Amino acid sequence: MPKPTLDDRIARDIGLPSLTRAALAGHRLRALNGTLARVVRESAFYAKHLRGVRLPLPSLEAIAALPFTTSADLIREPESFRCVPPGSVERIVTLRSSGTTAQPKRIFFTRRDLDDTRAYFAAGLTTLLDPGEAVFILYAASTPNSVGDLLAHAARDAGTRPVMPEPGEPFPSLVRRLERERVRLLAGDPLQLLELARFNRFRGTGLRVPRVLLSADSVPDSLRRAVEQDLGAEVFAHYGSRETGYGGGLECAAHRGCHMREADLLIEAVEPETGVPLCAGETGELVVTVLRREGTPLIRYRTGDEGRRDSGPCPCGTVLETWSGVRRIEREMLPAPLCCREALEDAAFALPSVLDVRVRLWDDRIEIVLETLSSSDYEPAVPEPLRDMIAAVRSIPVSLVVRGRSEPDLLPRRKRRIERIPGEPPPANPTLTDPTLAKSALTEPAENDREPA
Ligand SMILES: [Zn+2]
């Protein structure tokens, strides 16, 4: 029997015999107007923000006349977005921006919000696994209703088997366990999966997994290729964020982009400066309206991510929209030829020893921290192309810290961002290429958010 498609699962979840564009559009307009009516009634923020808007909207396109919601709005008054009594909130997710002292954002989830996410995860898993097959989940799962916990429940709902990391488990026994469990899918954030892939090759453990599901707002091409090569896997990207209720969109086997969770989300692309809606094929900032959320429903929320809606059909036969080129919009540019975080990462991850690269930016200097594989017979080295790029920067001093690592760290990572350090610069630090010296000189930035993107 062929695998159920995402379309089949969505049709079932919204009570349609099969999914067509017309039926989906009708469902979405009803859901949108239901959400709009509820937010102006229950949310103090939207009661003001949408005052004067004539409801119900006559079409999905009419949403373009509504004002945007921004990250600053959520930070300023998170409680005013909440549409349910405090007793109905099952989980609160607090989001802090790395390297800043700004107030955190708070997103509220009700039981139904979490169940919707779990159902979407289960729908996605059925497209990647057959019943009885196992998925290894690298996301943190110790907190109830965290991403790892929801994905583990979703795996059972989909008739598949979740396999979880065990604290302190040595890498060789982990690999043996994954082989014994016949794991067919790995799910995690890009750096966790890169770590597993690179140590697999480096240690010669020979693990092969047919599929990898990685979730992030940007995945450098070189990282994706490394995971594919070092695990022999087909990589499927997932797009989502806490603001969209985690699940957002999933790549199909055609790998042309993500098919979005359209029964629950309305996604637009707008010109970032003017906010003007863009047509299919034009890249712009992604603006998301959630159609079913109870805790923190967001209307026309500017995600800070960019992408484009493709106009042609996907070979997989879905009626869902395909969004490609989805990535985080870079706010913080680096001096030439480093360019931006993703370009720097793309250059770094192309080298087979690199596990992680972090950038810290002061007003008058940049520090790049590189983590590489290391062992008694394999010393970490600064990759030549990266050394050349750094040497070519003229406008600001750049120091490089190299840290060798001989054991994998499979813990979930914080979001990959350029970390802007406010205030006084640290004491001057010469360019470091000696790993022994680098290890002692490294100061780790504080981790304030260990959940995946
Ligand atoms: Zn497709």
Side-chain angles (χ1 to χ4, degrees), residues 378-390:
Y378 191 105
E379 275 304 310
V382 181
E384 208 59 47
L386 193 62
R387 193 199 301 265
D388 292 347
M389 281 170 84
I390 290 168

Side-chain angles (χ1 to χ4, degrees), residues 4-5 21 104 115 120 123 131 137 142 147 168 207 224 232 238-239 262 297 314 345 384 396 402 404 446:
T5 63
R21 274 314 308 171
D115 288 346
Y120 177 76
I137 297 170
S142 54
V147 173
L207 178 70
R224 188 176 171 129
H238 169 261
Y239 170 73
E262 283 187 68
C314 181
E345 284 186 346
E384 208 59 47
I396 187 168
V402 183

Side-chain angles (χ1 to χ4, degrees), residues 257-439:
C258 285
H259 299 315
M260 294 299 186
R261 183 184 173 182
E262 283 187 68
D264 299 329
L265 301 175
L266 181 60
I267 300 179
E268 307 163 78
V270 302
E271 209 285 314
E273 298 301 320
T274 62
V276 172
L278 297 172
C279 301
E282 295 180 314
T283 296
E285 181 172 356
L286 301 185
V287 172
V288 172
T289 298
V290 298
L291 300 177
R292 247 180 84 85
R293 197 70 25 78
E294 289 182 330
T296 303
L298 296 171
I299 309 297
R300 299 202 88 208
Y301 179 75
R302 296 190 70 145
T303 60
D305 300 329
E306 68 175 16
R308 64 180 171 276
R309 179 166 53 86
D310 295 343
S311 50
C314 181
C316 75
T318 184
V319 304
L320 298 170
E321 291 172 352
T322 307
W323 288 76
S324 58
V326 176
R327 66 189 64 231
R328 192 79 195 156
I329 297 172
E330 297 282 356
R331 303 279 180 208
E332 203 78 78
M333 296 309 283
L334 296 168
L338 296 176
C339 175
C340 60
R341 178 186 59 80
E342 194 166 327
L344 179 64
E345 284 186 346
D346 206 24
F349 291 137
L351 298 141
S353 61
V354 175
L355 300 169
D356 196 359
V357 53
R358 300 175 191 176
V359 185
R360 308 177 79 194
L361 194 58
W362 284 268
D363 288 342
D364 63 351
R365 67 186 287 266
I366 296 173
E367 181 182 73
I368 296 174
V369 181
L370 200 67
E371 290 197 357
T372 77
L373 290 162
S374 139
S375 76
S376 54
D377 54 0
Y378 191 105
E379 275 304 310
V382 181
E384 208 59 47
L386 193 62
R387 193 199 301 265
D388 292 347
M389 281 170 84
I390 290 168
V393 177
R394 295 273 170 263
S395 55
I396 187 168
V398 183
S399 63
L400 180 67
V401 176
V402 183
R403 187 170 75 166
R405 201 137 54 71
S406 57
E407 288 301 319
D409 168 11
L410 297 176
L411 290 172
R413 310 302 169 82
R414 59 160 184 242
K415 283 195 172 190
R416 296 164 12 251
R417 295 272 182 275
I418 291 174
E419 191 183 11
R420 162 70 71 175
I421 314 288
E424 290 295 306
N429 190 4
T431 297
L432 298 172
T433 51
D434 176 349
T436 320
L437 179 60
K439 272 182 236 177

Side-chain angles (χ1 to χ4, degrees), residues 2-14 16-19:
K3 278 189 178 40
T5 63
L6 211 47
D7 295 38
D8 298 334
R9 291 292 303 240
I10 289 173
R12 194 193 72 176
D13 290 348
I14 61 179
L16 295 171
S18 64
L19 203 64

